[in-house]
Amino acid sequence: MVIIMKQISELMGYRSDIKVVDATLRDGGLVNDFHFTDDFVKALYQTNIKAGVDCMEFGYKCDKEMFDVNQFGKWKFCNDDDIREIVGENQTDLKLAVMADVGRCNYKNDIVNKADSPIDVIRVATYLHQIPAAVDMIEDAAKKGYQVTCNIMAISTGQEGDIRAALDMIGQSPVDVIYIVDSYGSLYPEQTARITDLYKEYADKYKKKLGIHAHDNQKLAFANTIEAVGDGVDWLDGTYMAMGRGAGNCAMELLLGFLRNPKYNIYPAISFVEKYMKPMQAEGTVWGYDLQYLVSGLLNQHPRAAIAFTKDQRADYAEFYKEMNSQE
């Protein structure tokens, strides 16, 4: 009963340390190769300001020698000038972020000093086996004056010993926020709670904040996010209408509706979904929960096969389950 009352108390109030991060352009860009119109991006930027969102992730800082600039929209690369065309000098409280993937960016050249950039936050994305390279990127971004997060991907596949070693290394770096990332959408809330406890041990030791980025393969992205909130995680990722790779993410409109902080306003979010997200989906852009993503989440596997299933417009879900299960 004491535990239940504690949870109710936490849900009824709010923490001033909470930061809501909009990842629609970045994670959603994986659905449409980042081909968003400037009108869409400007409307998203204004919506985030009106809704009280704390941070907007514009996309990736990808290496133009590795990725064809003609194949992708500009938010795959996030040139500073392209961001300025949307935000001007961004004289608002909304912070601007980009993601830099270990091994997929030329961070020493493409990420300039913070004083010369409209970007505020560099989000370093890494797998467990890439942690030393991630630490080098974190140190580089911090020296350049940025706030830095480290997003450890596919954490559901990690062994506890490896996770501890990674958290210890990252904790000793100048990173500001360490992210729990359920890349495969395979976690249940009770697992999220245990992982959060593990992360919190190192976050407390090294005085870091924690964040969560959830995927919706089992329709648990929102549930895992609010579980993490109750367990002390402060930085919360969401996307409008849950747009994101494969099954998508925690829906921004759900998250804003849940948080009790009066700084957040759900009405602009609903208006944006009505005007921009619904038409985009009606015109054929595909994302969101479906059986193929459930299967990859249940089996704790990367959704690439489910994404291919979707792209090929297959409907033989039972056969797909057998194919995926045979890979175990």
Side-chain angles (χ1 to χ4, degrees):
M1 179 62 72
V2 173
I3 294 174
I4 293 173
M5 291 304 295
K6 176 177 180 289
Q7 291 175 341
I8 291 173
S9 173
E10 287 169 349
L11 295 182
M12 290 298 290
Y14 71 88
R15 294 204 314 275
S16 60
D17 288 343
I18 293 292
K19 304 293 181 188
V20 173
V21 180
D22 168 38
T24 306
L25 276 189
R26 202 271 308 163
D27 216 316
L30 296 169
V31 175
N32 66 354
D33 289 336
F34 303 89
H35 291 303
F36 296 101
T37 66
D38 284 356
D39 177 60
F40 178 95
V41 179
K42 288 176 182 177
L44 178 59
Y45 171 68
Q46 290 297 329
T47 296
N48 283 325
I49 293 169
K50 293 173 184 175
V53 170
D54 300 282
C55 184
M56 176 177 172
E57 187 178 39
F58 266 75
Y60 286 98
K61 276 283 190 184
C62 283
D63 189 343
K64 293 176 183 176
E65 292 189 4
M66 293 181 68
F67 298 93
D68 185 353
V69 295
N70 297 312
Q71 181 181 346
F72 298 97
K74 55 191 171 185
W75 307 115
K76 177 86 169 177
F77 308 98
C78 285
N79 295 331
D80 286 1
D81 287 344
D82 288 332
I83 295 176
R84 286 193 183 95
E85 285 184 11
I86 302 296
V87 308
E89 294 303 314
N90 186 36
Q91 295 176 335
T92 75
D93 292 333
L94 178 67
K95 290 190 174 184
L96 310 181
V98 296
M99 180 165 280
D101 262 335
V102 172
R104 296 184 177 184
C105 63
N106 186 353
Y107 61 96
K108 292 188 183 296
N109 293 328
D110 292 341
I111 298 176
V112 301
N113 289 330
K114 167 69 189 79
D116 301 317
S117 173
I119 299 165
D120 302 291
V121 182
I122 302 295
R123 284 156 56 97
V124 174
T126 181
Y127 290 103
L128 283 170
H129 68 277
Q130 301 170 315
I131 294 298
V135 168
D136 189 65
M137 290 174 64
I138 291 166
E139 290 174 346
D140 180 78
K143 285 178 184 175
K144 290 172 177 173
Y146 294 96
Q147 194 168 13
V148 190
T149 79
C150 184
N151 296 36
I152 309 176
M153 298 182 288
I155 203 63
S156 59
T157 64
Q159 300 296 315
E160 182 176 334
D162 294 335
I163 296 172
R164 285 185 176 277
L167 291 173
D168 201 50
M169 291 176 66
I170 295 167
Q172 294 177 62
S173 80
V175 77
D176 297 286
V177 187
I178 306 172
Y179 259 83
I180 300 161
V181 184
D182 183 18
S183 302
Y184 300 168
S186 66
L187 295 179
Y188 296 98
E190 56 268 31
Q191 293 173 297
T192 299
R194 290 199 297 271
I195 291 171
T196 301
D197 283 346
L198 174 58
Y199 273 59
K200 203 166 186 307
E201 180 183 332
Y202 290 88
D204 290 346
K205 177 180 178 180
Y206 293 110
K207 296 179 171 54
K208 309 295 184 182
K209 294 287 189 180
L210 293 179
I212 184 166
H213 179 89
H215 278 263
D216 213 22
N217 297 60
Q218 300 186 87
K219 297 188 75 67
L220 290 171
F222 177 56
N224 283 321
T225 300
I226 64 175
E227 172 64 42
V229 173
D231 295 332
V233 173
D234 288 329
W235 284 52
L236 315 174
D237 283 16
T239 63
Y240 288 91
M241 205 173 157
M243 185 184 188
R245 185 200 62 187
N249 303 98
C250 174
M252 178 66 76
E253 55 275 16
L254 282 173
L255 186 56
L256 294 178
F258 164 76
L259 295 170
R260 298 300 190 262
N261 191 331
K263 70 174 282 191
Y264 298 121
N265 183 0
I266 194 174
Y267 180 76
I270 292 173
S271 297
F272 181 81
V273 168
E274 175 188 341
K275 187 173 181 181
Y276 290 93
M277 305 306 296
K278 286 286 189 180
M280 183 189 298
Q281 205 165 51
E283 289 164 5
T285 305
V286 179
W287 74 87
Y289 169 82
D290 208 337
L291 286 176
Q292 64 271 32
Y293 296 118
L294 166 64
V295 169
S296 64
L298 283 172
L299 298 176
N300 195 19
Q301 293 185 15
H302 193 288
R304 62 176 62 90
I307 292 169
F309 179 99
T310 306
K311 188 175 182 180
D312 293 341
Q313 297 183 323
R314 289 175 58 181
D316 52 338
Y317 299 101
E319 181 63 29
F320 178 73
Y321 175 78
K322 288 192 291 183
E323 292 172 6
M324 292 289 284
N325 217 23
S326 67
Q327 298 175 27
E328 287 290 279

